[in-house]
Amino acid sequence: MAAHSLLRPLPLLCFLFQATVAAFSSEAKTISGVVTDSTTGEIVAGAQVFLRTTESKEALRRTTTNRLGFYLLANIAAGRYRLVARGYGNAFVERTVVVPDTVADVRFDLQLLPATYELREIVIESERLIGSAPLSLHSISPQVMKSLPSIGGEPDVFRPLQYLPGVKTSSELLGGMHVRGSSPDQNLVLLDGMPLLNPSHFGGLLGVFNPDIVRSVELSKGVLDAMYGGKASSVLNVATKEGSRERIGGSAGLSMLSTRVMLEGPLTENASFIIAGRRLYADLLVPVFTTSTSIPRYYFYDLNAKIRQSFSPTDRLVLSAYVGHDVLTRSRDNDVNFDIDWGNGAAGANWLHTFSPTIIMNVAAVYSKYDFSTRIYSDTSKGYTNWMAKSALSDLQLKTDFEILPGDMSSFKMGGEVVRSRHYAEALDELDFQRRGEMAPRTTHSIDAALYVQAEMQATEALRTVAGLRLNSFADGTFTHLEPRLSVSLALSDAMLLRSSFAIVHQYLHLVTRNELSLPTDLWLRSDKNIQPARTIQTSAGIEMKFFDQDYLLSLDGYFKSSENLFEYRESADAMLGVPTKENLTMGTGEAYGVELLLRKDVGGFNGWLAYTLSWTRRTFDELNGGRPYFAKYDSRHDVSVVASYKASDRWHLSATWTHNSGQPYTLPTGQFVFPPFEGSRYYLDFSERNARRLPAYHKLDIGATYSFTWFDLPFELVANIYNVYNHQNVIARYLKFEGRGWVSSPPKATVKDLTLFPFLPTVGLSCTF
Amino acid sequence: MKRLPVALPACILAFLFGCEHTAEEVELPFKERLVVYGDIEGAVNFERTLPLNTVWNEDSSRLQDVNARIVFQGASFPLRLDSVVRGLYRGYVLPEGADIELQADWRGKKVTARVKKPTRPQIDTLWMSVDSSMVPPTIRCGGTYVATENVAYFASISVRMDTDRFEKGWRFLKGDDGTSGAERIQLAAEFPFQAGATCRVYMIVDAYDRAYYDYHLSEGYGSLPPTSLFSGSIRSNIKGDGIGIVWANSSSSRVIQ
């Protein structure tokens, strides 16, 4: 059924592919090549490539390398040109290229050099907003990630992201990433193309991405590239380094949270490797300070490995793997004990074949898995509890993408994927030796599939469009949806651009969290006949401009999203987290809208950005809040972030971040009652107004300094951070605590409590490269 | 204790990283609402919610001036206030399969609840044997009943020995979701048999609507005091300015011996 319905449009897609190839196989001259990093030999995705005459600094043509580091400039007249490329961190190269009359396609690979700021000025004069992709993208370089203040001196991918407009976390901890009013499960997180369901370690303390191997981070908000599906809100694309082709080397880092090591180098002339590991050692430090067994032990580790092999100039194979695990335990010596562990695992093989400079094929096989296991047991005077839940989701994905580059300003993509999904779950809930709930081990399999096409083209000098269509088939064909996606940008001048987008997307995997908090053990549910896929319609429009010699970029975007088939726990659902039955859930709708402002300076010794978001996120469920709309727990009216980075000298780098967020909604009971209403019964709380109250505003300042030095001929970096400089007691949760046993004979006495996290917290970290 | 699975990870987090303070400047909110509890065919209790940190007592909580009625087949029938018990309103016996709506208002607060009285459950087979090799001799007995769509069942096997009544082998479960039709449920129990006693063994099955089953699941989980951080409530089928549960059930019983 699923395969049949998906195969129906296949002849049409094949025809489109052949027609496109034929149409673009003309005699026009092209310059193409691969941009690599001169120090490591790695390919550089997202590098900007400019072509100009030898006499002028004005760019004739402009393009960007694709995820394989490939660029193409088409329809070039014979002549002599200057070719300029710029990558992350202002890495830069400029070369002269000659296009002779007698050659149709000129292959010209570029190797980026670590640039000085003086060299960069040449490029800046050539930058224009014309031709910019209309999709809403934010890129974070590893340099930015490492330069910003962090918790415990440990650089983290998620820290810079949360300072972007439209992006927030629920709280300092317990937070997934919320993009434009979305829940964390609506973000597609990819590590080298491999999906990770839970991209954070415990409570969002750190991301699962080892900072030493991250090559680029790209967040796509709003309308997504048609090659991505199954998620309603955003794509976080994290690419790792491929390993140096030049020499064996690596890096090591030591912070107050963890230790990390990375090793990379060539395997053969045409192959390289990189391997990295990291471990949090909080569990090892606890026994140093106390012999108490009541303190929980927590640690995580993550490992990355990657091998790249080039078989020929047109064929390369990349093997990637990731495994990470979190473990939280408490000794059996205590009244209440637990063993909780969870983690992601992924492995993938990626074969890239270049048919010609204008046609690229990428074939990938990816296995990814997320599992958790929780066991809580107690035997106290208050009663006996035994609670257990296990869940595992795994996907085996085969996908093929074709990318056709008819010109430097146009591209055509098409592809498809088939995914075999497996979902395992079991749960047991015992109270006083009575089984309150039980779910026998249950494994389900299904086949999901998708096809997509997308055309990106420069319709006129000023008008650029990205039009995509994606066809999803989910759960053996139970659900089939067609998703249109359209983005348009119109350049009003070299320095001003309007953009707008529209998309309909469906989500088939739902993370159901309790209203109060998100946990790594929250349940993922696949859509089936009872759990309908979420459907989101989103539109956005914005303006982007550059000024002051194009050193500054200002963007203003507005968005509106409307979702249906969202799921929440029903009011007073029983507490059996491990039993994801439809009886516990209720379905509703949501809407999110807002305005985002970004003022950014990327160039010069002093750079950074200011972001402001004005937003609303509402939910409406018939069975929640009396059917009245309520604010989502991560609704926040005003969010302001300031990020500043200053390179004071060759040795010193300073940075600071300041955030201010409106207080988040929370729920307090609006009364109490005895139920059943007789002597001998218990007190219960009445929650009649969901998320009706607001926490105090959250704000803090973090500062950091990095000192670079050489020791034993090795480059070292000493990082010092101060978290929450002015020691603001940010409340991340407000709740009630009770005295009394809660019976009519022992009435409860409630006190309002605030939970605050990190106070003024100075930390240091040390890293070196070898 | 019973909210442990929900609250524990948050407690751990707070323990590892957090600091708890008393928020003295925060006022506890209060919104007065109706509390409804009862069998719509027997007696329905009306109370009101109280502010937090207020001690419950019958006199201050139970309501004597509620305007309550049931609507059945388009006709409205008022519930009558019991002359003895405060806050208790007498209902009506209704036919199996009846769809009933409870309507009540009190000082401008209005609540409604929809209740379906399930059809009488069907007890299918019964069996019993006595194992005389055991000391004391043991009665083994059981039976099957048919569970149908979207109805919850409380099934039990009881034994009355002389004047004492024991209950054993009980279960409370929801019927299937209707996708596979009716389901035959088995129930079995063992009772030590006292020599010389006169003994009567019954199988009893009560059918409830889904809302009552949901309430049964939530009962106890949301009771106060929760472990500390977060707390819940009962699962309610009352709409409007109130909370609680009303139900109508049908019962079947058969004598095994």
Side-chain angles (χ1 to χ4, degrees):
Chain A
M1 170 80 178
H4 180 72
S5 61
L6 270 180
L7 287 175
R8 226 174 288 155
L10 201 56
L12 175 65
L13 293 174
C14 290
F15 169 76
L16 279 173
F17 175 67
Q18 290 171 343
T20 309
V21 171
F24 297 135
S25 300
S26 62
E27 295 301 319
K29 295 182 189 306
T30 65
I31 304 173
S32 65
V34 173
V35 177
T36 56
D37 185 315
S38 63
T39 55
T40 64
E42 288 185 71
I43 63 166
V44 179
Q48 298 175 56
V49 180
F50 306 89
L51 189 75
R52 62 183 178 87
T53 63
T54 51
E55 296 81 25
S56 168
K57 290 179 179 175
E58 192 69 27
L60 294 172
R61 310 299 287 272
R62 175 183 187 272
T63 190
T64 304
T65 58
N66 63 15
R67 59 203 163 107
L68 308 167
F70 184 83
Y71 76 93
L72 175 83
L73 296 163
N75 301 316
I76 308 294
R80 187 181 178 87
Y81 299 95
R82 296 289 283 173
L83 194 57
V84 182
R86 194 183 80 168
Y88 284 122
N90 294 324
F92 172 82
V93 67
E94 182 169 8
R95 294 284 182 269
T96 299
V97 58
V98 177
V99 180
D101 280 329
T102 52
V103 177
D105 301 316
V106 174
R107 171 87 183 197
F108 203 96
D109 292 343
L110 294 164
Q111 289 189 313
L112 291 176
L113 305 165
T116 65
Y117 289 101
E118 292 72 36
L119 280 173
R120 179 200 53 75
E121 299 302 332
I122 301 168
V123 183
I124 295 306
E125 287 187 27
S126 310
E127 282 195 35
R128 298 188 302 170
L129 286 171
I130 291 176
S132 292
L135 299 172
S136 186
L137 285 171
H138 291 285
S139 297
I140 301 290
S141 71
Q143 288 80 3
V144 170
M145 181 179 67
K146 289 185 175 178
S147 69
L148 296 185
S150 56
I151 294 179
E154 181 78 12
D156 184 34
V157 164
F158 285 107
R159 289 287 150 198
L161 293 176
Q162 71 189 39
Y163 301 125
L164 295 172
V167 181
K168 66 185 77 171
T169 53
S170 299
S171 63
E172 280 175 293
L173 293 177
L174 293 175
M177 189 172 67
H178 303 279
V179 179
R180 289 185 169 175
S182 70
S183 52
D185 63 322
Q186 294 179 330
N187 306 315
L188 175 63
V189 179
L190 297 170
L191 176 64
D192 288 331
M194 303 181 294
L196 300 181
L197 276 186
N198 184 0
S200 297
H201 290 297
F202 189 50
L205 184 66
L206 288 171
V208 299
F209 310 104
N210 187 325
D212 286 341
I213 64 159
V214 171
R215 187 183 67 197
S216 65
V217 179
E218 198 171 75
L219 177 68
S220 177
K221 301 186 298 189
V223 174
L224 310 178
D225 194 305
M227 72 188 300
Y228 302 121
K231 297 286 185 176
S233 181
S234 73
V235 175
L236 178 65
N237 217 330
V238 178
T240 62
K241 299 173 183 175
E242 290 192 345
S244 174
R245 304 179 189 199
E246 308 298 328
R247 65 179 186 86
I248 296 282
S251 64
L254 182 71
S255 73
M256 296 176 75
L257 287 177
S258 69
T259 297
R260 58 186 198 274
V261 178
M262 183 272 283
L263 194 64
E264 62 177 334
L267 287 171
T268 66
E269 188 180 344
N270 295 315
S272 63
F273 78 97
I274 185 167
I275 184 167
R278 183 171 60 154
R279 190 190 191 281
L280 183 95
Y281 40 64
D283 61 317
L284 303 177
L285 292 178
V286 170
V288 175
F289 298 104
T290 175
T291 57
S292 169
T293 58
S294 64
I295 297 176
R297 303 288 196 266
Y298 169 67
Y299 71 91
F300 71 73
Y301 67 84
D302 46 45
L303 294 168
N304 295 74
K306 193 170 184 178
I307 296 175
R308 175 203 56 85
Q309 169 76 53
S310 297
F311 295 103
S312 70
T314 59
D315 290 281
R316 65 195 275 277
L317 179 70
V318 176
L319 304 176
S320 310
Y322 166 83
V323 62
H325 226 76
D326 290 56
V327 178
L328 180 67
T329 62
R330 195 182 195 201
S331 149
R332 291 174 185 250
D333 299 338
N334 295 282
D335 290 343
V336 180
N337 310 302
F338 44 83
D339 291 314
I340 306 172
D341 63 271
W342 66 96
N344 298 284
N350 203 305
W351 171 44
L352 169 70
H353 177 70
T354 308
F355 290 104
S356 74
T358 56
I359 303 174
I360 300 168
M361 180 186 72
N362 191 51
V363 179
V366 173
Y367 174 78
S368 62
K369 180 181 181 182
Y370 175 68
D371 55 22
F372 75 76
S373 166
T374 305
R375 187 174 181 84
I376 301 170
Y377 34 93
S378 70
D379 189 2
T380 69
S381 58
K382 295 176 183 175
Y384 167 85
T385 300
N386 185 15
W387 189 84
M388 180 275 292
K390 286 183 180 177
S391 178
L393 294 104
S394 60
D395 287 345
L396 181 59
Q397 179 185 44
L398 293 171
K399 61 185 295 185
T400 303
D401 305 305
F402 291 94
E403 187 168 355
I404 301 159
L405 304 168
D408 47 312
M409 302 297 282
S410 307
S411 74
F412 180 82
K413 293 180 189 174
M414 59 183 294
E417 63 185 42
V418 178
V419 183
R420 184 178 190 273
S421 297
R422 177 181 178 273
H423 184 200
Y424 170 85
E426 69 169 299
L428 173 69
D429 187 354
E430 288 182 328
L431 181 65
D432 295 333
F433 299 99
Q434 177 189 332
R435 291 198 170 190
R436 297 291 301 234
E438 182 180 17
M439 186 172 70
R442 186 171 67 191
T443 303
T444 56
H445 294 94
S446 73
I447 301 290
D448 315 324
L451 293 171
Y452 75 89
V453 291
Q454 177 172 292
E456 181 171 355
M457 60 188 71
Q458 194 75 29
T460 68
E461 170 73 9
L463 184 66
R464 188 166 180 81
T465 62
V466 180
L469 201 58
R470 184 178 176 91
L471 178 67
N472 294 327
S473 170
F474 189 80
D476 300 323
T478 305
F479 304 105
T480 302
H481 297 114
L482 198 59
E483 298 178 343
R485 301 173 187 188
L486 178 66
S487 301
V488 179
S489 66
L490 178 68
L492 301 179
S493 69
D494 283 359
M496 186 177 291
L497 179 108
L498 299 177
R499 63 181 172 222
S500 182
S501 59
F502 170 84
I504 298 175
V505 289
H506 294 84
Q507 179 156 334
Y508 307 95
L509 199 56
H510 314 262
L511 180 67
V512 186
T513 63
R514 298 194 67 84
N515 184 51
E516 300 93 342
L517 71 172
S518 302
L519 299 170
T521 52
D522 286 335
L523 290 162
W524 289 88
L525 299 178
R526 288 173 59 83
S527 288
D528 58 22
K529 60 184 172 57
N530 296 314
I531 309 290
Q532 293 291 310
R535 181 174 188 265
T536 298
I537 300 173
Q538 48 184 298
T539 56
S540 67
I543 184 170
E544 189 171 304
M545 63 186 82
K546 288 193 166 186
F547 54 94
F548 292 148
D549 291 334
Q550 304 200 11
D551 278 2
Y552 290 85
L553 180 140
L554 178 69
S555 70
L556 182 67
D557 289 278
Y559 66 89
F560 180 83
K561 297 203 295 193
S562 169
S563 301
E564 54 189 53
N565 300 345
L566 302 177
F567 289 90
E568 293 272 10
Y569 276 102
R570 295 170 71 187
E571 295 274 22
S572 63
D574 60 78
M576 293 180 292
L577 291 181
V579 186
T581 55
K582 63 180 169 44
E583 286 86 354
N584 281 333
L585 305 175
T586 181
M587 194 167 73
T589 62
E591 63 178 19
Y593 50 91
V595 178
E596 301 165 355
L597 177 74
L598 176 67
L599 175 63
R600 201 178 76 196
K601 181 175 183 288
D602 283 339
V603 299
F606 181 81
N607 54 55
W609 68 83
L610 181 151
Y612 169 70
T613 306
L614 173 66
S615 63
W616 290 261
T617 306
R618 287 193 178 90
R619 298 280 184 266
T620 307
F621 286 67
D622 287 344
E623 293 190 47
L624 302 180
N625 202 42
R628 303 181 304 274
Y630 63 92
F631 290 113
K633 62 183 174 183
Y634 38 85
D635 174 75
S636 175
R637 197 67 60 245
H638 306 279
D639 295 327
V640 181
S641 299
V642 180
V643 174
S645 174
Y646 178 57
K647 186 173 175 59
S649 69
D650 288 343
R651 289 189 178 275
W652 283 99
H653 188 278
L654 309 174
S655 63
T657 58
W658 182 75
T659 54
H660 185 289
N661 303 331
S662 299
Q664 293 184 338
Y666 73 99
T667 303
L668 275 185
T670 54
Q672 64 179 12
F673 57 101
V674 167
F675 208 78
F678 310 124
E679 292 286 350
S681 295
R682 295 168 170 165
Y683 280 84
Y684 287 81
L685 298 175
D686 183 27
F687 295 90
S688 61
E689 294 178 340
R690 192 180 182 91
N691 289 347
R693 300 167 74 88
R694 295 272 173 176
L695 294 174
Y698 173 102
H699 56 93
K700 70 175 171 64
L701 172 69
D702 304 334
I703 58 173
T706 304
Y707 178 67
S708 304
F709 62 98
T710 304
W711 195 32
F712 292 108
D713 290 332
L714 292 176
F716 278 79
E717 282 191 345
L718 180 66
V719 179
N721 292 315
I722 298 178
Y723 189 90
N724 198 358
V725 171
Y726 52 84
N727 194 31
H728 185 249
Q729 299 291 302
N730 286 302
V731 178
I732 68 151
R734 178 167 285 166
Y735 47 88
L736 297 178
K737 263 195 152 179
F738 294 92
E739 296 170 15
R741 295 181 63 83
W743 298 91
V744 169
S745 58
S746 177
K749 171 92 171 63
T751 310
V752 183
K753 296 288 184 181
D754 284 345
L755 180 68
T756 58
L757 288 182
F758 304 110
F760 174 86
L761 191 65
T763 55
V764 293
L766 182 68
S767 65
C768 81
T769 308
F770 52 87
Chain B
M1 196 64 195
K2 294 171 183 179
R3 298 282 297 180
L4 189 62
V6 179
L8 186 65
C11 295
I12 296 164
L13 196 74
F15 186 84
L16 287 174
F17 306 108
C19 184
E20 188 181 74
H21 314 271
T22 298
E24 293 174 351
E25 75 282 7
V26 178
E27 286 187 13
L28 292 169
F30 176 59
K31 184 179 178 185
E32 190 174 58
R33 299 212 300 160
L34 284 167
V35 182
V36 189
Y37 175 85
D39 179 352
I40 211 162
E41 293 183 293
V44 180
N45 292 272
F46 283 95
E47 294 205 339
R48 61 188 179 93
T49 58
L50 301 170
L52 290 166
N53 296 340
T54 305
V55 176
W56 176 89
N57 65 65
E58 288 186 356
D59 291 340
S60 64
S61 304
R62 294 194 165 177
L63 304 177
Q64 295 283 87
D65 52 350
V66 177
N67 178 19
R69 61 208 163 271
I70 60 167
V71 179
F72 172 59
Q73 293 182 341
S76 178
F77 303 91
L79 301 188
R80 294 156 312 209
L81 180 65
D82 190 276
S83 57
V84 179
V85 182
R86 283 184 65 84
L88 192 70
Y89 293 75
R90 295 290 173 188
Y92 299 89
V93 176
L94 297 157
E96 292 176 26
D99 286 306
I100 314 116
E101 182 172 86
L102 171 73
Q103 299 176 348
D105 53 84
W106 175 72
R107 296 184 187 176
K109 296 174 174 54
K110 297 180 188 300
V111 295
T112 61
R114 299 193 72 87
V115 176
K116 184 177 180 66
K117 181 176 178 178
T119 53
R120 191 180 298 269
Q122 175 193 339
I123 294 178
D124 206 8
T125 60
L126 298 167
W127 58 270
M128 196 188 89
S129 64
V130 178
D131 187 349
S132 301
S133 64
M134 302 287 287
V135 179
T138 299
I139 299 171
R140 293 202 172 91
C141 57
T144 60
Y145 61 95
V146 177
T148 53
E149 179 180 352
N150 207 26
V151 174
Y153 295 91
F154 178 82
S156 64
I157 291 176
S158 302
V159 61
R160 185 181 293 277
M161 293 185 187
D162 295 331
T163 57
D164 295 327
R165 177 177 170 132
F166 307 97
E167 191 174 77
K168 217 165 189 182
W170 66 269
R171 73 171 78 196
F172 203 148
L173 84 169
K174 185 178 68 65
D176 69 19
D177 59 7
T179 55
S180 58
E183 183 183 3
R184 181 168 287 119
I185 306 291
Q186 294 192 28
L187 190 68
E190 288 185 356
F191 296 93
F193 180 70
Q194 298 167 14
T198 56
C199 170
R200 200 111 212 221
V201 184
Y202 309 82
M203 179 165 173
I204 303 163
V205 181
D206 292 300
Y208 294 84
D209 67 3
R210 160 73 188 279
Y212 187 84
Y213 181 69
D214 289 344
Y215 159 71
H216 163 76
L217 283 184
S218 67
E219 189 186 22
Y221 276 111
S223 63
L224 281 170
T227 45
S228 67
L229 283 179
F230 305 102
S231 46
S233 193
I234 58 161
R235 193 174 284 177
S236 164
N237 66 349
I238 306 297
K239 306 289 184 195
D241 302 324
I243 190 168
I245 183 76
V246 289
W247 70 90
N249 71 302
S250 298
S251 181
S252 294
S253 66
R254 294 263 297 273
V255 176
I256 298 176
Q257 176 176 304

